[in-house]
Amino acid sequence: MQPDESQYLHRKCRIGDIDVHPTEKALVVYYEVEASILGETGNARHEEKKECQKVIRLRSLNASTNVSALARKVVEECKIIHPSKLAEVEHLLLYLQNRKKPSSKLEKKEKKPSKPRELLPFEGMEIDEEANINKIDDYIELLYENIPEKIRGSTLILHLARNPDNLEELLHNETALGALARVLREDWKQSVELATTIIYVFFCFSSFSQFHGLITHYKIGALCMNIIEHELKKYDLWQDELEKKSKAYILFSFRKEHEKTLKKCQSLLVKQEQLLRVAFYLLLNLSEDTRTELKMRNKNIVHLLVKSLERENEELLVLAVSFLKKLSIFLENKNDMAEMDTVEKLARLVPCEHEDLMNVTLRLLHNLSFDTGLRTKMVHVGLLPKLTALLGDDTHKHVAMRILYHISVDDKSKSMFAYTDCIPQLMQMLFEHGEERIDTELISFCINLAANKTNAQIICEGNGLKMLMKRALKLKDPLLMKMIRNISQHDGPLKQLFIDYVGDLAAQIKQEGDEEFVIECLGTMANLTIPDLDWELLLKEYNLVPYLKDHLKPGSAEDDLILEVVIMIGTVSMDDSCAVMLAKSGIIPALIELLNAQQEDDEFVCQIIYVFYQMVFHQATRDVIIKDTQAPAYLIDLMHDKNVEIRQVCDNTLDIIAEYDEEWGKKIQSEKFRWHNSQWLEMVESRQMEDAEPYLYGDDPDALEQPDLFYSTDGMMPPEPGLSPDFYSQFHSQNGDFNVCNGADGRPATAYGFRPDEPFFHGYGSAR
């Protein structure tokens, strides 16, 4: 379009959504600008749309601000907000006024990983002149003199290297760097100060990734590891010598000599730790490259770092623990730390007054807590009460809770929490959340602890269970209900506490709201194997039978929900009247249909068979199962399933059926006979099908007709070519076992026994 064809530009602004800023006290207004270039006739020649947003910052907004007045002011001054949006703006301002800050300073400090402090010039590195880059050649000359001159020359170069602006020029001065590397390689054993100063020069280069190649070229990393190893061995010798001298001085009352020796060792120790710190820091910077880190690992860097944890210098400890934390994410390094008893050495650092050291130590422990063996060690060295005490510290409670959560995963460790004040603290945290959703870490930790009976009893002390139920039912929180479900699985007085809440749970099931929440409610009810509970009244009052039957249909809901319905039916079937009610409703055929649909899922199969097991104890339901359904035939098919639990329930259920129904009893006995003698029967059947039968015993065709080859004839029974199912007629069923009459020895049909008042599987977990 030519410029003279246009007449004017038309703009149109369309207001969109208004929202709050995610972090600041501000409103964000979204709008769309539509620009049109109109021709002489007024028709749009060109149109363009652009989405925009405007941020309205409200710095004066605080707890005492009049929100209504501020909303009017915002609408009046911001022309793109239509007056009709006043109520919406006021609502958003009210939300901003009540919104908590994203994170407090303490939380920010906790979330920010601790990093070792910058290295400063150590004691003894001061010089009486200002280093000048133009005098670098003079400093290099000093490196060819005696030790004191070498220390002075390297110190002057260090002061130059501490200024990043000089690093580029020093990088190109191969003479200076080569001389420093040579002196370090040749003279590091003669002077700790000299070694510390030269390593510090290369440390300045290591702070920048682009200079790592230079350090590798001069093999400074490998040399540092040799120096560290030597110094740590020297420290051990010092300690042994100091201990011997201390005993001698004390024995002969040489106090002055003892104090003099201690002072000397302390001075040497300070210098050595300065050297260790700068060397470890250089290696930490170089480990940015995982290939370099692997080389360090092969040279036993983990051993050196763990050995350094015995020191008292806090800055050195921060550095060593930080390095170990970085290394601990690799399995091989974690295994090395386990062999070095790292957890025991870290335990003495918890708690400590040095915030950075405390923070990084907890983070290393958190990394190590993913290992089962190391979690057990944490409990053995007494970290559990120490970590529990940190739950009240806003700075460290989040990472402490993560470690404690990992420890609570192990069943052996769960019971140890009962001997700390951990559970009361967690309960207080739960109830402090108000209407908000509970933190996932907190509720997950509570779920694990509730799986232990002693812990569950502490949780329920006072009004604990009442408060949990009230909150769970109000917020429809599935995780909180999962915690309650774990509590409900424990036998004894704990289950009795749930009698008051059975109606509330049944009501939640009928509402069919959040499926996860309903699953936990069903699971909790299924755990309540309480003789005093009137299940018949409950089923009738809340009309649960149709619900249970409808949710047995394959595909009617998620498999998890259907499985909980099956488990619930198993629990309810313990009651005689309820079992009859369920049988009359047609639930048994529905279970068989579900069994056909889920025959590949062992958990479904096991729980459905358990329902049959419960029902055959009652006369009315037993007759329905035996006479009106093919459930016994399914059970016979599953007698020899690969799953041990399925075989176990099948055997016990079939034993009861065989005791009460003669026809099915013969079929069951025949099948058991066939199974126990399957190899012999296969041999006989295969021989009958052969046209020409080879002899088993040489060339004698009458060999098989000799009964004494098979059976003894000492008055036990007439010799027969084999046992038939009629042989079992000498047995009678008693309590699910077969016993031989007349004193003969018989093979028990099953080694397991069940009581009708005891569910096969209840509580939380798999049926396996």
Side-chain angles (χ1 to χ4, degrees):
M1 183 181 70
Q2 299 298 325
D4 56 351
E5 294 181 2
S6 63
Q7 204 172 39
Y8 59 90
L9 180 68
H10 177 69
R11 295 182 63 191
K12 186 186 296 183
C13 183
R14 294 179 179 175
I15 185 70
D17 294 332
I18 305 174
D19 204 350
V20 295
H21 195 281
T23 57
E24 300 179 19
K25 287 185 178 180
L27 295 176
V28 182
V29 183
Y30 299 93
Y31 61 98
E32 184 181 76
V33 176
E34 182 179 321
S36 303
I37 300 176
L38 305 180
E40 294 179 353
T41 59
N43 296 327
R45 295 280 187 176
H46 179 71
E47 292 182 351
E48 186 174 345
K49 295 180 181 179
K50 185 178 181 181
E51 293 183 353
C52 307
Q53 67 180 41
K54 180 178 179 61
V55 179
I56 305 172
R57 289 180 171 81
L58 308 160
R59 294 184 177 86
S60 61
L61 181 63
N62 54 47
S64 59
T65 302
N66 186 328
V67 174
S68 300
L70 182 59
R72 288 194 296 271
K73 184 177 179 181
V74 168
V75 172
E76 289 172 3
E77 295 186 1
C78 185
K79 302 301 182 184
I80 61 174
I81 300 178
H82 195 269
S84 62
K85 297 278 188 178
L86 177 62
E88 183 179 352
V89 171
E90 185 175 343
H91 176 74
L92 294 173
L93 290 177
L94 186 62
Y95 171 79
L96 279 174
Q97 188 181 43
N98 297 322
R99 183 173 70 176
K100 293 183 179 180
K101 295 180 180 179
S103 59
S104 66
K105 292 182 179 179
L106 288 175
E107 288 172 336
K108 288 180 180 178
K109 187 174 181 181
E110 187 278 328
K111 292 177 182 178
K112 184 179 179 181
S114 298
K115 188 178 180 182
R117 295 180 184 177
E118 289 297 325
L119 286 172
L120 299 173
F122 298 123
E123 183 181 351
M125 292 186 182
E126 300 85 0
I127 50 176
D128 54 3
E129 65 175 285
E130 186 176 350
N132 190 329
I133 192 66
N134 297 319
K135 296 182 180 181
I136 185 66
D137 292 338
D138 296 337
Y139 306 155
I140 296 172
E141 288 295 327
L142 292 173
L143 298 177
Y144 293 91
E145 302 295 333
N146 295 325
I147 295 298
E149 286 77 17
K150 288 178 180 178
I151 294 175
R152 181 176 179 79
S154 59
T155 303
L156 288 164
I157 296 174
L158 171 60
H159 280 261
L160 293 175
R162 281 179 53 79
N163 184 352
D165 296 336
N166 295 327
L167 290 178
E168 193 72 33
E169 188 167 343
L170 288 172
L171 176 67
H172 297 294
N173 194 325
E174 295 183 7
T175 305
L177 296 177
L180 287 168
R182 176 188 58 79
V183 172
L184 179 63
R185 192 164 47 252
E186 295 175 356
D187 299 330
W188 65 267
K189 288 185 180 180
Q190 298 185 40
S191 171
V192 173
E193 294 91 335
L194 178 62
T196 304
T197 305
I198 296 177
I199 294 174
Y200 203 150
V201 173
F202 286 102
F203 163 76
C204 295
F205 284 97
S206 73
S207 300
F208 302 92
S209 301
Q210 60 267 36
F211 297 142
H212 286 185
L214 162 75
I215 300 169
T216 304
H217 173 72
Y218 289 107
K219 300 181 180 179
I220 301 299
L223 187 54
C224 281
M225 293 199 65
N226 292 336
I227 294 171
I228 292 170
E229 186 175 7
H230 174 81
E231 292 298 323
L232 291 175
K233 288 180 180 178
K234 188 164 68 174
Y235 173 77
D236 291 337
L237 293 174
W238 286 352
Q239 292 294 100
D240 293 340
E241 184 179 357
L242 182 61
E243 186 176 353
K244 291 177 183 177
K245 287 185 177 181
S246 297
K247 289 180 180 179
Y249 291 148
I250 293 170
L251 183 63
F252 296 104
S253 301
F254 295 154
R255 292 186 178 179
K256 290 184 179 180
E257 287 81 354
H258 184 221
E259 292 175 1
K260 186 177 179 181
T261 303
L262 283 175
K263 191 173 182 180
K264 180 182 177 181
C265 286
Q266 188 62 33
S267 176
L268 292 172
L269 187 62
V270 170
K271 291 180 180 180
Q272 187 190 65
E273 289 178 344
Q274 290 173 352
L275 172 60
L276 291 175
R277 187 173 172 224
V278 70
F280 274 133
Y281 214 147
L282 182 144
L283 293 173
L284 176 59
N285 288 343
L286 293 181
S287 67
E288 179 182 294
D289 184 349
T290 52
R291 292 171 298 179
T292 304
E293 184 178 294
L294 180 58
K295 292 178 182 178
M296 294 180 192
R297 192 257 168 186
N298 293 335
K299 287 183 174 289
N300 222 359
I301 184 66
V302 174
H303 175 88
L304 301 177
L305 288 166
V306 174
K307 187 69 178 173
S308 301
L309 296 180
E310 299 170 1
R311 303 302 182 99
E312 299 297 331
N313 185 298
E314 291 179 335
E315 296 301 329
L316 176 60
L317 287 171
V318 169
L319 185 59
V321 176
S322 299
F323 205 159
L324 286 170
K325 182 175 75 70
K326 181 181 185 300
L327 295 171
S328 65
I329 63 174
F330 292 98
L331 178 65
E332 297 81 1
N333 296 331
K334 183 267 298 178
N335 292 338
D336 290 346
M337 293 178 203
E339 293 175 4
M340 287 290 296
D341 296 331
T342 307
V343 170
E344 288 84 341
K345 291 180 171 63
L346 293 172
R348 74 179 186 89
L349 303 177
V350 180
C352 64
E353 295 182 1
H354 194 288
E355 285 293 323
D356 290 341
L357 178 58
M358 183 69 173
N359 190 12
V360 74
T361 300
L362 290 174
R363 291 179 181 278
L364 172 56
L365 286 170
H366 177 245
N367 284 1
L368 298 179
S369 68
F370 285 89
D371 181 271
T372 306
L374 292 176
R375 289 199 297 268
T376 304
K377 278 190 177 181
M378 291 178 192
V379 176
H380 288 166
V381 299
L383 272 173
L384 198 57
K386 293 181 178 181
L387 294 169
T388 298
L390 293 175
L391 292 177
D393 186 339
D394 290 336
T395 307
H396 304 297
K397 73 176 182 181
H398 296 289
V399 65
M401 187 177 294
R402 294 182 197 122
I403 301 170
L404 290 170
Y405 166 76
H406 285 165
I407 293 174
S408 72
V409 170
D410 304 322
D411 290 335
K412 291 182 179 179
S413 300
K414 284 185 176 74
S415 59
M416 302 301 294
F417 286 89
Y419 303 101
T420 70
D421 63 344
C422 180
I423 296 175
Q425 289 191 68
L426 295 178
M427 293 297 287
Q428 184 178 354
M429 292 181 195
L430 284 177
F431 300 137
E432 283 177 352
H433 272 74
E435 300 296 322
E436 302 173 4
R437 281 273 175 163
I438 302 170
D439 293 338
T440 305
E441 290 173 356
L442 173 59
I443 190 60
S444 301
F445 186 16
C446 293
I447 289 170
N448 284 353
L449 293 181
N452 176 268
K453 187 173 183 178
T454 307
N455 294 337
Q457 289 171 341
I458 298 174
I459 290 171
C460 294
E461 285 180 356
N463 292 325
L465 181 60
K466 180 179 180 181
M467 297 294 290
L468 289 174
M469 286 295 302
K470 183 178 179 181
R471 182 182 178 86
L473 296 173
K474 183 177 182 180
L475 300 179
K476 303 291 190 292
D477 189 336
L479 292 178
L480 191 55
M481 184 54 69
K482 189 183 292 288
M483 177 185 174
I484 295 170
R485 176 179 176 176
N486 276 3
I487 296 172
S488 70
Q489 70 183 341
H490 303 296
D491 294 325
L494 286 174
K495 287 193 178 183
Q496 297 292 333
L497 297 176
F498 283 86
I499 291 180
D500 296 335
Y501 308 107
V502 172
D504 295 324
L505 293 170
Q508 297 300 320
I509 294 170
K510 284 293 292 181
Q511 289 178 9
E512 298 193 50
D514 181 3
E515 190 169 280
E516 290 185 14
F517 183 71
V518 172
I519 288 173
E520 300 306 329
C521 291
L522 272 168
T524 304
M525 290 187 68
N527 284 338
L528 303 182
T529 52
I530 309 171
D532 298 337
L533 186 57
D534 190 342
W535 283 109
E536 182 182 12
L537 178 63
L538 190 72
L539 293 180
K540 289 179 178 178
E541 184 175 348
Y542 292 93
N543 195 26
L544 288 178
V545 174
Y547 172 88
L548 296 175
K549 183 180 177 182
D550 291 343
H551 285 78
L552 287 177
K553 297 176 183 176
S556 61
E558 293 292 329
D559 283 354
D560 288 343
L561 180 59
I562 298 175
L563 180 61
E564 293 302 331
V565 169
V566 175
I567 298 172
M568 174 75 173
I569 293 172
T571 301
V572 172
S573 298
M574 293 168 59
D575 184 275
D576 188 30
S577 55
C578 288
V580 173
M581 189 189 310
L582 293 172
K584 290 181 179 179
S585 70
I587 273 182
I588 296 175
L591 285 169
I592 293 176
E593 182 183 353
L594 181 62
L595 182 63
N596 281 327
Q598 299 286 354
Q599 57 186 316
E600 299 299 326
D601 191 317
D602 285 0
E603 193 164 5
F604 263 101
V605 173
C606 196
Q607 296 295 354
I608 292 172
I609 296 172
Y610 174 67
V611 175
F612 294 154
Y613 170 76
Q614 286 290 356
M615 287 188 168
V616 295
F617 276 102
H618 312 295
Q619 179 65 43
T621 50
R622 185 191 308 128
D623 292 341
V624 173
I625 289 176
I626 294 174
K627 298 177 181 178
D628 299 340
T629 73
Q630 289 298 312
Y634 281 95
L635 294 173
I636 289 174
D637 289 340
L638 293 168
M639 277 175 59
H640 315 301
D641 192 88
K642 293 179 181 179
N643 187 292
V644 177
E645 279 112 8
I646 292 176
R647 294 201 306 270
Q648 182 179 345
V649 190
C650 276
D651 280 346
N652 285 272
T653 309
L654 289 171
D655 287 348
I656 298 170
I657 293 173
E659 185 177 351
Y660 288 97
D661 188 276
E662 184 178 354
E663 184 179 350
W664 277 112
K666 289 180 180 180
K667 292 179 182 179
I668 293 166
Q669 289 177 358
S670 177
E671 177 59 27
K672 287 187 176 182
F673 165 81
R674 179 172 291 278
W675 174 257
H676 291 307
N677 299 276
S678 57
Q679 291 183 340
W680 183 83
L681 289 172
E682 287 176 7
M683 181 188 73
V684 172
E685 290 173 359
S686 64
R687 287 177 59 83
Q688 290 174 352
M689 296 177 63
E690 293 175 357
D691 295 331
E693 181 179 342
Y695 296 125
L696 294 177
Y697 298 92
D699 297 326
D700 185 2
D702 299 324
L704 291 177
E705 297 179 5
Q706 300 177 14
D708 56 327
L709 291 176
F710 292 91
Y711 304 103
S712 170
T713 57
D714 296 337
M716 287 185 63
M717 62 184 69
E720 294 289 338
L723 285 176
S724 71
D726 295 335
F727 173 74
Y728 280 84
S729 63
Q730 299 183 59
F731 295 77
H732 68 271
S733 175
Q734 188 177 52
N735 296 329
D737 292 335
F738 286 108
N739 298 292
V740 180
C741 299
N742 301 323
D745 294 331
R747 182 184 183 279
T750 175
Y752 307 98
F754 290 86
R755 295 185 312 183
D757 61 338
E758 205 173 66
F760 181 64
F761 290 111
H762 59 81
Y764 200 60
S766 168
R768 294 180 180 275

